[in-house]
Amino acid sequence: MKEYPVFNAILNRRSIRNYTDEQIKDEEINQILEAGRWAPSAKNLQPWRFIIMKDAQRIEDLCQFTKYANILRKSKVNILIFLDKNFQGDRIKSIQSIGACIQNILLAAHELEIGTCWIGEIVNRHEKVEKFLNLPGNLELMALITLGKMPQEKKESRRIPLEELIIKG
Ligand SMILES: Cc1cc2nc3c(=O)[nH]c(=O)nc-3n(C[C@H](O)[C@H](O)[C@H](O)COP(=O)(O)O)c2cc1C
């Protein structure tokens, strides 16, 4: 029978907010970022930039900027995703491109049995984070992704039924 690995990953990926103590290997982080790098982007501008945080103290330092600090604390690696405004065309399309990059990251991690959670809430304090990290003005925080090995428990989620999503034209 034909297998559909991408479709399976899309259906089975869940936001994971609890992680085991197992470390994530550098090769795994590279593979995950490679998937992000190959996302489509408007005019192929590839406006995404990444900061990888593996050090528990550095992750702890970021906790002050989000109410989801408990998720950060349990995770082993954080990937911060930035929009490089020097590589920005139309802003909406640049941000959509970043979304495609993040989704690739989540799916690639899922395939490696690494759980992720997309922390968008930290963006509410993006200027403070950028200042704290001493970043140049062209980098705007778009999201933080927590990563860690998945515990065995099954995660549920729900979606709006397809027939409610299709608008009759
Ligand atoms: C743009 C965006 C921002 C999000 N921000 C947060 C967040 O700040 N904290 C959090 O726990 N989950 C966050 N999530 C994860 C969503 O809550 C989650 O994807 C949704 O509830 C569906 O669950 P699932 O990913 O397990 O299918 C975010 C997701 C997206 C796409």
Side-chain angles (χ1 to χ4, degrees), residues 13-15 17 68 71 117-121 157 159:
R13 179 214 56 81
R14 293 278 74 79
S15 295
R17 300 179 174 87
Y68 294 105
I71 307 177
C117 190
W118 179 332
I119 306 292
E121 191 268 345
S157 193
R159 292 295 184 269

Side-chain angles (χ1 to χ4, degrees), residues 14-98:
R14 293 278 74 79
S15 295
I16 305 296
R17 300 179 174 87
N18 231 325
Y19 310 98
T20 71
D21 280 339
E22 208 180 323
Q23 295 297 332
I24 296 178
K25 298 185 188 80
D26 285 347
E27 307 93 86
E28 293 174 315
I29 300 171
N30 280 343
Q31 206 172 339
I32 289 166
L33 290 178
E34 195 62 8
R37 190 169 79 87
W38 277 97
S41 61
K43 294 187 175 165
N44 202 15
L45 284 169
Q46 305 166 51
W48 39 73
R49 300 293 178 267
F50 309 114
I51 290 181
I52 304 160
M53 294 215 173
K54 296 187 274 188
D55 180 67
Q57 185 52 55
R58 287 200 83 201
I59 292 175
E60 181 60 38
D61 289 344
L62 290 178
C63 286
Q64 60 183 301
F65 301 111
T66 173
K67 67 178 184 189
Y68 294 105
N70 58 326
I71 307 177
L72 270 65
R73 283 193 187 107
K74 284 184 251 169
S75 67
K76 292 287 168 229
V77 175
N78 286 180
I79 298 175
L80 285 77
I81 322 267
F82 295 89
L83 167 66
D84 186 339
K85 289 188 262 184
N86 292 344
F87 285 73
Q88 182 176 233
D90 174 84
R91 183 166 166 88
I92 290 180
K93 290 175 206 159
S94 297
I95 293 173
Q96 289 173 344
S97 304
I98 299 274

